[in-house]
Amino acid sequence: MDRAMSQKRLAQVFDEVAREVTERASGIRLLESGAKLAGELCTVYTSFQRGYRTGVSLCAERSLFTRLTQRMMQTEEVSPQEVEEFSREYFNALCGRIVSQMYPETKIPARFERPSFHEGRYSPRGRQKHFSIQYASDGAGNAELVHHLQDMEAADTLPE
């Protein structure tokens, strides 16, 4: 039988996966923080096509996405196109890991769309924030990981 995860448990999975994937992909350590995002922002976003009717976004200071790309490419010189491409690939890995961590508890086989990259803070239409986790990195900039629900589902999709 399919089971929903509590918001607390879901946030825990998101947090653990974000830290693990980011450190493994780039060596950048994310630390939970109340820090506000500032400066030039970018967002990667995806929604689930199957299994869930939710979305996930990571809004971060461009400096974090740039450093992530530099570390993944192992070079200091990166173009804006490379930052966009590598940010989407990183987020694809992050979301894939989230799905794989959720499956043992929910038994819901999920599939998500190819992540999109947006300049600035992106808020998908028809969605609202379910929860968010703010991060400061070890010198690369701040980020916010957000779980989005469809507006009509916000109250009862995932039990507390």
Side-chain angles (χ1 to χ4, degrees), residues 13 38 40 52 56 60 82 105 107 121 155:
V13 168
E40 191 176 357
Y52 303 100
V56 182
E82 289 167 329
E105 292 181 47
K107 303 298 186 227
R121 183 182 292 274

Side-chain angles (χ1 to χ4, degrees), residues 4-154:
M5 295 176 81
S6 71
Q7 179 178 342
K8 180 179 179 181
R9 176 65 182 128
L10 189 59
Q12 180 184 13
V13 168
F14 275 50
D15 181 44
E16 289 171 358
V17 168
R19 291 172 192 250
E20 175 189 325
V21 169
T22 304
E23 189 160 2
R24 185 173 290 154
S26 65
I28 296 172
R29 293 187 65 224
L30 296 178
L31 310 168
E32 197 166 344
S33 165
K36 300 290 184 194
L37 298 177
E40 191 176 357
L41 303 178
C42 301
T43 305
V44 281
Y45 173 79
T46 191
S47 61
F48 291 87
Q49 303 175 321
R50 187 179 77 201
Y52 303 100
R53 292 179 303 245
T54 65
V56 182
S57 67
L58 179 68
C59 182
E61 295 167 0
R62 182 174 288 280
S63 60
L64 178 61
F65 285 126
T66 299
R67 185 167 171 222
L68 183 81
T69 302
Q70 290 169 330
R71 295 275 183 97
M72 290 171 70
M73 290 181 64
Q74 299 180 349
T75 183
E76 288 296 313
E77 298 297 320
V78 295
S79 70
Q81 293 79 18
E82 289 167 329
V83 170
E84 181 177 330
E85 181 180 324
F86 275 80
S87 297
R88 282 196 316 259
E89 288 304 316
Y90 152 79
F91 198 61
N92 190 51
L94 190 148
C95 290
R97 184 81 173 125
I98 286 172
V99 167
S100 72
Q101 290 295 104
M102 290 171 60
Y103 182 78
E105 292 181 47
T106 65
K107 303 298 186 227
I108 297 172
R111 171 182 239 144
F112 55 90
E113 296 178 355
R114 186 174 193 280
S116 57
F117 184 88
H118 306 270
E119 298 291 334
R121 183 182 292 274
Y122 175 74
S123 297
R125 280 178 50 147
R127 305 260 179 191
Q128 66 181 0
K129 187 184 297 186
H130 181 228
F131 66 80
S132 67
I133 305 167
Q134 286 79 29
Y135 295 102
S137 71
D138 55 354
N142 300 321
E144 179 182 27
L145 184 63
V146 179
H147 182 242
H148 303 270
L149 297 178
Q150 289 181 350
D151 287 339
M152 63 187 174
E153 298 178 85

